[in-house]
Amino acid sequence: MFVPSLWVVSAAIVERGVMEGFIRGLPKVELHLHIEGTLEPEMMFEMAGRNGVTLPFADVDEVRAAYQFSDLQSFLDIYYQGAEVLQTERDFHDLMWAYLSRMAGENLRHAEIFFDPQTHLGRGIGFETFMGGFATAQQNARERLGITTKLIMCFLRHLDGAEAVATIRAAMPFKGAIAAVGLDSGERGNPPERFADAFAMAREAGLRAVAHAGEEGPPAYITGALDVLGAERIDHGVACEQDEALLDRLVASRIPLTMCPLSNVKLRVFDVMEDHNLKRLLDRGVAVTVNSDDPAYFGGYLTDNYLAIQRALDLSRDDLVALARNGIEATFLDDPSKAVLLADLAAYAAG
Ligand code: ADE
Ligand code: ZN
């Protein structure tokens, strides 16, 4: 049996630490982050207490122990339940500020953040409440942390197309604060075509478009999101590998995929991280990016996702820089703002 010497073990530990430091310091952007998915159990309990909500858990350890998922739906059930503690403008502010202030320590430079209005509207909580809370935290992040943000309003795909249309109508007074629309929630059996009208209205109003597709659903949902919804980025997209023509199209068009490694293992899209197709897609020329999805539920924020995929697939520093660069290029920032981030990344990689 091979027994590694103390020296080999120590060198491996040092190398891990160096890689972690490199990833932590990389100038990064995040493009696939559900703000409701950053609700840590401690905050869940705090908000439940001040809002008089009774949680079906005795303490934070019990909450964390419940985070064992068999698929996307098993996660969504617990995720929508958790979101019920979010009630006041202060709650939405605190949630957004907790995420952004934490990410300042990971050299996050820019984030395009999903929110699910229908989860809140359905409980009688209006746009002015969550948009007001988000706006204050976003402004503070820009001024105090140097982190810029954009908001992406998602439609829940387990609800019908008419409800999505009503949601985009209700959002119109706030459209100046919203960069794009997206599509999330349970994918299986909920194809993108049902949301064509809502996306058309959003695009007519000048909003950009992205969509979750090919997380658990087939590659046809990716094609549908591109052709019918006008999606400019695909969230997840792991299923694209099953369709050669689609792969060729993604490579030629450089349509970005916002991949979320820890999410995919936690929700059993891949059994183990070593099975993830991120590196194969990167090598093939797809514009792959790394993101955290719902970090409070999936065991890690952005740096953790980079680290997990680096270790499992033995990514090089060049791979990591390419992933960070793909992220910057895939943002909805204007070209001068992208150029600043790209120059910072180049300087970091060279140093
Ligand atoms: N909502 C929050 N996280 C999601 C995910 N990974 N897929 C679809 N909808 C979501
Ligand atoms: Zn997601």
Side-chain angles (χ1 to χ4, degrees):
M1 193 178 78
F2 169 72
V3 180
S5 71
L6 195 57
W7 189 87
V8 170
V9 172
S10 314
I13 290 170
V14 170
E15 200 182 303
R16 270 171 96 99
V18 170
M19 190 52 96
E20 183 168 351
F22 178 75
I23 291 173
R24 188 168 291 277
L26 258 184
K28 290 183 283 299
V29 303
E30 175 138 70
L31 305 177
H32 186 156
L33 180 282
H34 301 261
I35 197 63
E36 294 89 350
T38 66
L39 180 63
E40 292 286 346
E42 289 77 7
M43 188 175 266
M44 195 189 287
F45 266 87
E46 197 182 311
M47 289 180 184
R50 72 188 185 211
N51 293 331
V53 175
T54 308
L55 292 171
F57 305 105
D59 54 35
V60 294
D61 292 336
E62 221 176 82
V63 180
R64 287 214 165 82
Y67 292 175
Q68 306 294 333
F69 310 116
S70 52
D71 58 8
L72 175 58
Q73 193 57 50
S74 66
F75 153 70
L76 291 170
D77 292 342
I78 216 163
Y79 166 80
Y80 292 130
Q81 186 179 55
E84 288 181 18
V85 303
L86 295 161
Q87 302 204 348
T88 64
E89 185 168 329
R90 175 183 166 199
D91 297 337
F92 289 97
H93 164 273
D94 290 359
L95 184 70
M96 180 67 82
W97 180 250
Y99 164 70
L100 292 169
S101 54
R102 173 181 195 133
M103 295 309 292
E106 298 191 19
N107 206 14
L108 180 74
R109 303 290 301 276
H110 175 75
E112 301 187 354
I113 299 173
F114 296 133
F115 67 105
D116 286 337
Q118 287 158 291
T119 300
H120 312 303
L121 295 171
R123 300 178 293 120
I125 294 161
F127 268 90
E128 62 291 343
T129 301
F130 44 86
M131 296 304 282
F134 294 154
T136 314
Q138 288 176 276
Q139 186 182 340
N140 286 337
R142 191 170 54 246
E143 290 170 0
R144 297 200 221 151
L145 308 172
I147 299 176
T148 56
T149 54
K150 291 182 186 287
L151 292 178
I152 303 176
M153 182 182 98
C154 286
F155 302 114
L156 298 180
R157 70 198 304 160
H158 68 270
L159 301 178
D160 68 24
E163 289 185 59
V165 166
T167 306
I168 186 69
R169 284 216 176 95
M172 280 304 153
F174 300 88
K175 78 171 187 188
I178 300 171
V181 289
L183 185 65
D184 66 2
S185 195
E187 188 181 9
R188 281 197 201 115
N190 295 316
E193 287 74 11
R194 210 193 308 149
F195 302 94
D197 288 348
F199 271 72
M201 286 170 68
R203 284 188 286 109
E204 261 165 44
L207 301 184
R208 314 287 293 261
V210 302
H212 282 57
E215 177 185 16
E216 283 188 342
Y221 285 15
I222 301 177
T223 308
L226 297 173
D227 292 341
V228 180
L229 305 183
E232 299 168 72
R233 298 194 298 246
I234 296 295
D235 300 310
H236 293 296
V238 297
C240 69
E241 246 187 343
Q242 299 162 27
D243 179 337
E244 269 301 312
L246 173 60
L247 258 183
D248 287 342
R249 176 180 181 183
L250 292 176
V251 171
S253 62
R254 293 290 288 168
I255 297 271
L257 301 187
T258 64
M259 302 194 109
C260 307
L262 288 172
S263 165
N264 294 149
V265 175
K266 200 74 184 166
L267 301 186
R268 314 288 291 274
V269 174
F270 295 104
D271 289 335
V272 290
M273 195 62 86
E274 285 71 13
D275 291 346
H276 204 289
N277 59 2
L278 178 145
K279 167 87 172 137
R280 274 198 307 277
L281 294 173
L282 183 68
D283 290 346
R284 171 87 188 241
V286 179
V288 173
T289 71
V290 175
N291 309 273
S292 69
D293 209 1
D294 302 285
Y297 292 86
F298 299 153
Y301 285 75
L302 189 54
T303 293
D304 304 308
N305 273 274
Y306 270 92
L307 259 177
I309 198 74
Q310 186 279 324
R311 284 177 187 154
L313 304 184
D314 197 24
L315 301 185
S316 66
R317 284 187 183 223
D318 285 350
D319 291 331
L320 296 166
V321 172
L323 290 166
R325 189 185 312 115
N326 287 346
I328 295 168
E329 283 167 352
T331 63
F332 292 140
L333 288 167
D334 57 24
D335 286 342
S337 306
K338 283 187 193 182
V340 170
L341 294 181
L342 288 169
D344 287 355
L345 177 65
Y348 183 84

